Amino acid sequence: MPHAIKRLFCIGLLSFTPLIHAAEYLSGPADYIYSPIVEEGEREIDTKFGTQSPRNGDTTRQSGASIGFGYGVNSWWFTEIYGKAIWDGNTSQFDAVEWENKFQLTETGKYPVDIGFLIELERPQNRNEGYEAKYGFLLQSEWKKWQANLNLLMQGHYTGTENQGTYLGYQGQLKYRLQPEFEVGAQIYSWLGQVNSWNTDQQQQSSVGPAIFGKTKLGRKEAIKYNVAYLWGTTAASPRNTIRMQAEYEF
Amino acid sequence: MILINNQSKYMKNHLLSLLFAVPTLFMGTLSYASPTATEIYISIKKGRFSPSEIEIPADTKVKLTIENFDDTPEEFESYDLNREVLINPGSKASFYIGPLSAGNYKFEGEFSPETAQGIVRVK
């Protein structure tokens, strides 16, 4: 079967899962920027952590973390399973199990923009939320030592009774590839509101700020990759600030 | 006011359609807009790239096809070129590099870095 047909089949199969609806739309503190590039055979243990300070005068930080295992099944499909936890002040709880699938749709570097498609399914611990799905296009371009990402995403909850609606957002990243161990850039995470009813500018959620990235080799086919960002909320509905970080052990 | 809100909603719906239509249209036209790139063939035998040095013109996109004749996998890795590609035993993989500025861009085989070394010279 040609690769393009296999890709469409996998995407189609996963796309049917979330046809019934429901959702919360806030960027989680441990969110990260997706890349459309898939590395075949790559195995990784992926940990993420984030904490954000609310804007409404509440001093209790909201934090989240996840740990997952990912695998590059072939040159165009990467899949990863996560467990996620959240805590708020003294209360912590297991939050969800998540299954991320990323499909690289174009050959690396063939066109000015590399394109991928993301389908992420989540089963929240709060069963009233049903299932959560996030899906959308992942775009990446490079110029000399610069790399830019723009991801157009939709997120919704399905089959549950809480957090109805499908939300539209985007995330972006600009990175300067200074050296393998240390790269600098910036990230933005933004949710515009429900697909059929965008929020006013100040009710949209948007956080932007500087980020650093890097990769250190530990041995043959073993490496640690990291990225850290400090984000400021730019609207009244956004968290005041967010610190987020990701560390991956590749083997 | 109602008119303004309706117009705003109308514009947002169109923007939304545009956001998702652009990548879809882009993909749909890929087959008609495929760029023609120079292709360079590299083989891997006994943990070495051959040729291990290639020369390409500046500001030009080039397709690299790498065939692995060994019975173990190899990974083409280059931070300079921003590429990491696995090549399974007895198979080949293709990807594109460039357009690049003049200079030297190193690459290596991640599974046998002692022997699998190479360089792309851009002139």
Side-chain angles (χ1 to χ4, degrees):
Chain A
M1 190 186 292
H3 281 180
I5 296 174
K6 282 185 192 170
R7 274 177 238 199
L8 289 173
F9 177 75
C10 288
I11 291 169
L13 196 67
L14 287 162
S15 299
F16 275 113
T17 314
L19 280 180
I20 339 150
H21 232 231
E24 70 192 6
Y25 64 110
L26 181 71
S27 279
D31 275 8
Y32 74 108
I33 306 284
Y34 304 95
S35 162
I37 304 301
V38 170
E39 289 171 29
E40 182 179 3
E42 179 180 284
R43 291 173 296 175
E44 65 182 36
I45 293 171
D46 181 11
T47 58
K48 294 192 282 286
F49 169 77
T51 180
Q52 54 193 194
S53 168
R55 187 176 290 272
N56 57 11
D58 185 355
T59 54
T60 307
R61 297 190 74 85
Q62 297 166 353
S63 304
S66 71
I67 185 164
F69 174 75
Y71 179 61
V73 179
N74 50 41
S75 61
W76 51 267
W77 178 26
F78 180 83
T79 188
E80 184 162 353
I81 295 280
Y82 294 98
K84 296 168 78 174
I86 52 172
W87 58 97
D88 183 345
N90 295 324
T91 314
S92 63
Q93 66 178 77
F94 181 73
D95 184 40
V97 173
E98 189 175 284
W99 181 31
E100 176 188 313
N101 289 278
K102 206 170 66 175
F103 302 94
Q104 182 172 338
L105 302 178
T106 57
E107 286 182 78
T108 305
K110 184 171 185 178
Y111 303 101
V113 178
D114 294 317
I115 301 180
F117 194 82
L118 171 84
I119 300 176
E120 195 177 85
L121 303 172
E122 182 177 304
R123 180 56 160 161
Q125 189 69 3
N126 176 3
R127 297 297 192 234
N128 291 334
E129 293 184 18
Y131 291 88
E132 182 185 297
K134 189 190 284 183
Y135 42 95
F137 285 102
L138 315 177
L139 312 174
Q140 181 171 302
S141 189
E142 58 185 15
W143 185 76
K144 311 287 182 190
K145 287 194 153 195
W146 291 92
Q147 181 181 302
N149 293 78
L150 176 65
N151 301 328
L152 311 169
L153 302 171
M154 302 234 263
Q155 179 171 300
H157 282 230
Y158 306 89
T159 71
T161 55
E162 294 179 11
N163 299 323
Q164 300 291 317
T166 299
Y167 295 85
L168 174 72
Y170 66 90
Q171 50 177 223
Q173 176 176 278
L174 187 63
K175 179 165 82 170
Y176 183 73
R177 303 178 62 253
L178 197 61
Q179 57 186 59
E181 296 81 11
F182 185 73
E183 302 171 328
V184 294
Q187 295 182 339
I188 182 169
Y189 297 80
S190 189
W191 289 101
L192 304 173
Q194 293 211 36
V195 166
N196 56 354
S197 170
W198 287 15
N199 293 326
T200 61
D201 288 350
Q202 282 304 308
Q203 288 308 307
Q204 293 176 7
Q205 300 193 354
S206 186
S207 295
V208 62
I212 56 171
F213 316 81
K215 180 176 180 177
T216 302
K217 281 195 168 191
L218 301 177
R220 193 171 293 193
K221 197 54 194 161
E222 271 186 276
I224 296 278
K225 267 173 88 172
Y226 74 89
N227 67 83
V228 181
Y230 184 89
L231 309 167
W232 289 278
T234 60
T235 67
S238 311
R240 188 178 301 278
N241 58 63
T242 302
I243 301 166
R244 52 152 306 279
M245 56 194 77
Q246 178 181 21
E248 295 170 1
Y249 170 60
E250 293 181 355
F251 60 103
Chain B
M1 190 63 183
I2 292 170
L3 183 63
I4 291 169
N5 282 340
N6 284 340
Q7 280 180 335
S8 172
K9 200 173 215 176
Y10 182 77
M11 282 184 66
K12 283 172 179 173
N13 284 338
H14 273 261
L15 275 172
L16 174 65
S17 307
L18 197 65
L19 284 177
F20 281 85
V22 167
T24 308
L25 282 173
F26 183 79
M27 284 188 298
T29 55
L30 289 185
S31 54
Y32 300 101
S34 293
T36 52
T38 306
E39 185 168 359
I40 292 177
Y41 175 86
I42 298 174
S43 66
I44 300 171
K45 286 178 184 167
K46 296 180 180 174
R48 292 178 189 275
F49 291 112
S50 178
S52 59
E53 282 191 34
I54 56 174
E55 194 174 301
I56 64 172
D59 301 320
T60 306
K61 195 180 284 285
V62 171
K63 180 180 184 180
L64 293 186
T65 296
I66 303 177
E67 186 161 12
N68 182 5
F69 289 95
D70 289 343
D71 53 9
T72 54
E74 185 55 275
E75 185 167 299
F76 177 98
E77 183 177 39
S78 171
Y79 182 78
D80 294 350
L81 297 167
N82 199 16
R83 295 287 180 269
E84 277 185 64
V85 179
L86 182 81
I87 306 115
N88 284 310
S91 67
K92 54 187 170 185
S94 295
F95 56 94
Y96 292 75
I97 58 172
L100 298 165
S101 304
N104 294 330
Y105 299 79
K106 290 180 183 173
F107 61 87
E108 67 176 26
E110 188 164 14
F111 296 144
S112 43
E114 305 84 6
T115 54
Q117 298 276 344
I119 194 162
V120 177
R121 298 194 191 281
V122 181
K123 294 189 173 173

